[in-house]
Amino acid sequence: MCFNQGDLNICTYYNSVRGCRRHDDCNFLHICMSYIKETCLPSCKYNHDVFKTNCTRVLESHGISMDRTARSILRKLRDKIQTSSNAPANPSSSTENYRPSTSSYNNEEGFSDLVLCTYYNTKRGCKRSSDCKFLHMCRSYINKKCPSSCKYNHDVFTPNCKKVLKNHGIFMEQPAKAILRELKDKLEMSSATPVRLQPSRQESVSSRPMTKGEICTYNIRGKCNYGERCIREHYGLPYRWLYKLKDDEDAVWNPFTDEEQTQLEEQYCDVSKDSIEVVNGERFAEDDSNNSIAVLHFGNMEISNCEVVRKSTASSVTEPPNHPFTTEWMWYWEDNDPAGGGKLWRPYGQKNSDGNAKADKDSHELEESYQQFIEDSKLSTANFNTGANSYTLDFGTMQQNSETYTTIREVRRRPKEVVTTLYISNYKKEIQLNRAKGVSMHTSSSDGSSTTFPDTWEKTDGNKLDPDATFQLFDVKSGSTEYNDIQRLFSATCPNKILKIQRVQNEELWEDYARKRERMKKKTKTVDVSVNEKRLWHGTREYHVNAICQQNFDFRCSGSSSGTAYGQGSYFARDASYSTGYAIAASSGRRFMFLAKVLVGDYTVGNPTHRRPPEKIVASGQIKILYDSCVNQFLNPSIFVIFDKDQMYPEYLIEY
């Protein structure tokens, strides 16, 4: 039976923390608002299934046939929502007061997401006053972190707030606390909550200090065991675009809307694009102009009166080859278009328009040099050749200089491709499917060779493994040869009683370690002992244990309780008695220590300034080579500092 109830609308209550009390009996659609707008994140908890009981009934009542594919139904649904008015018929039988839906792409003011005014929460203030179509309210008050001396608005019933909130579907005939709850929900759903986060060094145009720069790849994959202690930002995509008012100490970084995130990223990945037009440009303009379009310039990363930053996951050259959701960067140089159409951007390693020799360095090699420049600004250039011609690439100016012809070319660095929420979702499904089949995602190296796991490892049951887990802990049987060997090493210097020994089985980390070991062997071209593989100790706190098992030892995440006397890296000790001083007892009195496999290689005495091993002294003209690690003393060292995560593996966890 078809019974039209007015315009098709998405239930406002359903898309909130409180939910809708009518459940399947509601006359409005119970489906994810962001999913309809194609801006939903992988971690979404709301319904995406058009064949649910509520959806089937409501859609049929509005003349949408359910005898078709879900994609076809969604297309029809989006068309209906776009053409519907913003006010459905008043459901008189409702047990709750009616509030207008926020399902439409644009409200009467023409703005799709609820956003706090960029200027109101600054010293300058907003010149539009109550006429501004963005919310004039204290951002700290919304986050419940406001001081008593605050001078900004806390009242949801001011003229500006009433108008803006009503336009975004918030029912104003309810208590202020209820309005605030709903306001916070909408800000979170639209990703429009301002954040005090600074961009990564290589992408920032701000001189303010950085807090959380990179985006955490483990969180994108499903779970980061560092949780709130993670030094990286937890966000659902491997990139995030933010803006803030220029030259204002009080300004904070505001994220672009979910829909804009993907739009900006698509344009930025296209190396030929210099800029992009962004709608609702009043957000970025300080004057009273009503320009609905603002232009974001990629060159200086600015839009109107705001500076812009693109945050991203770590560069792919700084992480192992199989590590998912890192950012792969492409390097391009400006060539002459043979068709006379202006600029032509060519990737490094590709022949130019005249068919001449290609550069002897590609994007991967240039990115490695660029990452060294980020660590040490003195390393600001990279030299390369194309046939008989020599060039210098200046990372500071992003220009390529010809030493032969004295020509200067512009250089650009852009992400290789756009990673969408659909891609992330499919990746997770593939992981779970392969685990159920008992297929490992990390059993072959980049050269196609298989990775051999230790003989002591037990077979993992993918069906019992947490979908977001990348490791398993197996108890080592007391009295076994494996147990006795570890106990002997521990007891040689530490008198504490061992309570439990667990084996860490992380296929991904082991593959990275094994690959690094093979590379070090090839580099020395000698026997196995040349890689100088050792078993060393590392004491830690209980709350770091799972994160280390998942992500390996990381000086930046685990903290610097061991100091930086010999370099800014992960510290390991020859003796368990030394590491026990850093194994801080938990509330239960238990302590935790890792026995790790470590490739110390060729080492030298370190110092606090080292962020990577220093260079070896070589004859003039020879290729510069780095040491593999640093130590406290050259003869019989007892402390080792490792800077490369691939040179270490958390083999066993000792609880004592």
Side-chain angles (χ1 to χ4, degrees):
M1 182 177 73
C2 179
F3 52 101
N4 192 293
Q5 302 174 6
D7 291 321
L8 178 59
N9 283 277
I10 295 175
C11 178
T12 310
Y13 286 105
Y14 174 74
N15 281 271
S16 68
V17 174
R18 288 183 293 172
C20 177
R21 293 202 291 264
R22 304 187 196 98
H23 303 293
D24 289 343
D25 296 329
C26 182
N27 290 331
F28 303 104
L29 206 58
H30 283 198
I31 199 165
C32 174
M33 192 185 309
S34 298
Y35 180 63
I36 296 298
K37 293 164 64 178
E38 298 179 291
T39 59
C40 193
L41 297 177
S43 57
C44 176
K45 63 182 180 179
Y46 298 108
N47 175 42
H48 294 182
D49 185 0
V50 293
F51 294 108
K52 289 276 189 178
T53 304
N54 163 273
C55 292
T56 299
R57 179 176 56 79
V58 175
L59 291 175
E60 285 183 338
S61 74
H62 286 86
I64 297 179
S65 173
M66 302 304 289
D67 296 328
R68 59 178 77 184
T69 64
R71 182 176 296 180
S72 176
I73 294 172
L74 276 171
R75 204 161 42 235
K76 189 71 174 175
L77 168 58
R78 291 185 180 115
D79 291 342
K80 283 261 186 185
I81 288 176
Q82 279 185 304
T83 56
S84 69
S85 67
N86 210 31
N90 187 6
S92 57
S93 59
S94 168
T95 57
E96 300 180 37
N97 289 324
Y98 161 71
R99 297 173 300 166
S101 169
T102 60
S103 63
S104 299
Y105 284 93
N106 295 289
N107 54 40
E108 66 184 67
E109 290 278 355
F111 194 77
S112 58
D113 284 298
L114 181 59
V115 175
L116 291 175
C117 178
T118 308
Y119 298 94
Y120 176 73
N121 281 270
T122 65
K123 289 180 179 178
R124 302 184 193 182
C126 178
K127 294 180 179 179
R128 302 186 189 94
S129 303
S130 59
D131 294 330
C132 182
K133 69 177 184 180
F134 305 106
L135 199 62
H136 284 198
M137 198 161 190
C138 173
R139 75 173 77 89
S140 299
Y141 178 66
I142 293 172
N143 294 325
K144 297 182 179 179
K145 297 179 181 178
C146 192
S148 57
S149 58
C150 178
K151 63 181 181 180
Y152 299 111
N153 176 43
H154 294 185
D155 184 3
V156 295
F157 296 110
T158 63
N160 166 271
C161 289
K162 287 176 70 175
K163 181 187 70 172
V164 174
L165 294 176
K166 185 177 179 181
N167 285 338
H168 287 85
I170 294 181
F171 181 57
M172 299 304 293
E173 302 300 325
Q174 58 180 328
K177 286 186 177 180
I179 294 174
L180 276 171
R181 273 198 305 270
E182 196 168 340
L183 163 60
K184 191 170 183 180
D185 291 345
K186 285 186 177 291
L187 287 173
E188 289 173 353
M189 282 192 290
S190 66
S191 293
T193 308
V195 288
R196 282 196 176 271
L197 298 174
Q198 298 302 321
S200 57
R201 179 176 170 182
Q202 66 267 35
E203 295 165 330
S204 174
V205 293
S206 170
S207 59
R208 295 175 65 180
M210 180 183 70
T211 53
K212 293 192 176 186
E214 291 177 355
I215 295 173
C216 177
T217 57
Y218 283 93
N219 179 69
I220 297 173
R221 295 165 67 176
K223 180 181 180 181
C224 171
N225 282 324
Y226 278 112
E228 294 182 355
R229 293 187 178 92
C230 185
I231 63 165
R232 301 174 182 88
E233 180 179 349
H234 284 185
Y235 187 61
L237 290 168
Y239 51 85
R240 195 180 192 196
W241 292 81
L242 306 104
Y243 64 92
K244 77 173 182 68
L245 191 63
K246 290 187 292 186
D247 306 322
D248 194 305
E249 294 179 357
D250 293 336
V252 295
W253 290 101
N254 299 275
F256 287 85
T257 66
D258 290 340
E259 189 174 2
E260 289 170 339
Q261 295 290 338
T262 306
Q263 292 171 349
L264 295 176
E265 188 67 12
E266 287 176 347
Q267 289 290 101
Y268 190 60
C269 287
D270 185 344
V271 68
S272 66
K273 302 297 184 183
D274 299 304
S275 61
I276 180 176
E277 292 185 344
V278 182
V279 297
N280 298 293
E282 300 92 335
R283 286 174 286 172
F284 319 108
E286 188 177 12
D287 55 28
D288 293 326
S289 65
N290 291 317
N291 294 332
S292 59
I293 300 294
V295 179
L296 193 167
H297 299 276
F298 294 136
N300 58 9
M301 282 295 189
E302 291 185 357
I303 182 168
S304 298
N305 294 323
C306 294
E307 57 185 290
V308 176
V309 67
R310 177 194 178 274
K311 303 182 73 171
S312 70
T313 53
S315 173
S316 59
V317 303
T318 66
E319 297 290 343
N322 288 338
H323 197 88
F325 303 124
T326 55
T327 301
E328 183 176 358
W329 293 93
M330 293 293 294
W331 286 78
Y332 303 87
W333 60 281
E334 179 191 356
D335 191 12
N336 297 321
D337 187 349
K343 294 181 180 179
L344 182 66
W345 296 96
R346 293 196 182 277
Y348 278 89
Q350 183 184 98
K351 290 184 178 180
N352 67 8
S353 56
D354 298 325
N356 294 329
K358 61 184 181 181
D360 59 5
K361 285 190 176 181
D362 58 16
S363 290
H364 184 89
E365 293 169 299
L366 290 175
E367 180 66 18
E368 287 180 324
S369 298
Y370 183 74
Q371 291 300 320
Q372 292 176 9
F373 164 64
I374 291 172
E375 294 293 324
D376 185 353
S377 59
K378 295 178 182 177
L379 306 174
S380 60
T381 60
N383 298 315
F384 62 93
N385 300 301
T386 60
N389 301 320
S390 298
Y391 298 87
T392 299
L393 196 162
D394 190 319
F395 295 125
T397 62
M398 291 299 281
Q399 290 179 333
Q400 167 188 298
N401 302 288
S402 171
E403 298 178 10
T404 307
Y405 301 105
T406 66
T407 56
I408 298 176
R409 304 274 189 176
E410 185 183 348
V411 173
R412 288 183 178 179
R413 173 180 180 257
R414 297 287 178 90
K416 183 178 181 180
E417 58 187 0
V418 180
V419 176
T420 63
T421 55
L422 178 61
Y423 176 87
I424 295 170
S425 177
N426 289 338
Y427 170 86
K428 293 180 179 179
K429 289 177 182 177
E430 184 182 4
I431 291 288
Q432 294 178 16
L433 182 62
N434 285 326
R435 281 180 176 173
K437 293 179 179 179
V439 179
S440 172
M441 294 292 286
H442 304 278
T443 54
S444 62
S445 301
S446 55
D447 59 3
S449 59
S450 298
T451 299
T452 302
F453 298 113
D455 295 335
T456 55
W457 277 28
E458 300 175 43
K459 187 176 180 180
T460 59
D461 187 346
N463 292 313
K464 294 182 179 180
L465 195 63
D466 183 335
D468 296 326
T470 57
F471 71 93
Q472 277 188 290
L473 292 173
F474 289 89
D475 291 341
V476 179
K477 187 176 180 181
S478 178
S480 65
T481 302
E482 184 181 13
Y483 187 98
N484 292 339
D485 287 346
I486 300 166
Q487 186 179 47
R488 175 178 50 81
L489 291 172
F490 182 84
S491 302
T493 61
C494 190
N496 299 66
K497 180 183 177 181
I498 293 178
L499 301 175
K500 183 194 294 185
I501 298 177
Q502 291 180 294
R503 185 190 320 106
V504 182
Q505 294 189 193
N506 187 321
E507 294 181 0
E508 183 178 326
L509 295 186
W510 179 261
E511 183 190 89
D512 299 337
Y513 178 81
R515 188 189 300 110
K516 181 67 175 183
R517 183 170 56 188
E518 291 303 311
R519 285 203 301 268
M520 290 178 69
K521 286 180 182 179
K522 291 177 181 178
K523 183 178 72 173
T524 56
K525 297 180 181 179
T526 54
V527 294
D528 290 1
V529 71
S530 63
V531 301
N532 211 352
E533 185 175 29
K534 293 181 179 292
R535 286 176 124 182
L536 302 172
W537 301 98
H538 180 95
T540 190
R541 298 175 182 268
E542 182 180 21
Y543 56 70
H544 284 317
V545 166
N546 283 339
I548 290 173
C549 292
Q550 180 193 45
Q551 303 179 32
N552 215 333
F553 305 97
D554 191 329
F555 165 78
R556 297 170 299 171
C557 292
S558 298
S560 55
S561 59
S562 56
T564 58
Y566 310 109
Q568 300 172 39
S570 296
Y571 279 63
F572 298 89
R574 177 193 63 198
D575 304 323
S577 58
Y578 183 87
S579 290
T580 197
Y582 300 95
I584 309 301
S587 57
S588 62
R590 300 190 174 198
R591 298 173 184 266
F592 298 85
M593 189 184 300
F594 283 95
L595 177 60
K597 276 185 172 292
V598 184
L599 302 169
V600 300
D602 195 3
Y603 52 74
T604 187
V605 177
N607 71 55
T609 64
H610 289 157
R611 301 179 68 178
R612 61 174 184 161
E615 294 177 354
K616 295 181 181 180
I617 299 176
V618 295
S620 176
Q622 290 186 343
I623 298 174
K624 294 180 180 179
I625 301 175
L626 302 181
Y627 283 97
D628 298 306
S629 61
C630 291
V631 294
N632 61 329
Q633 56 192 32
F634 188 76
L635 296 176
N636 194 26
S638 60
I639 299 173
F640 296 82
V641 186
I642 307 298
F643 304 87
D644 186 344
K645 290 170 66 175
D646 294 352
Q647 287 179 227
M648 44 196 171
Y649 179 81
E651 189 178 17
Y652 292 99
L653 174 65
I654 293 85
E655 187 176 334
Y656 62 101

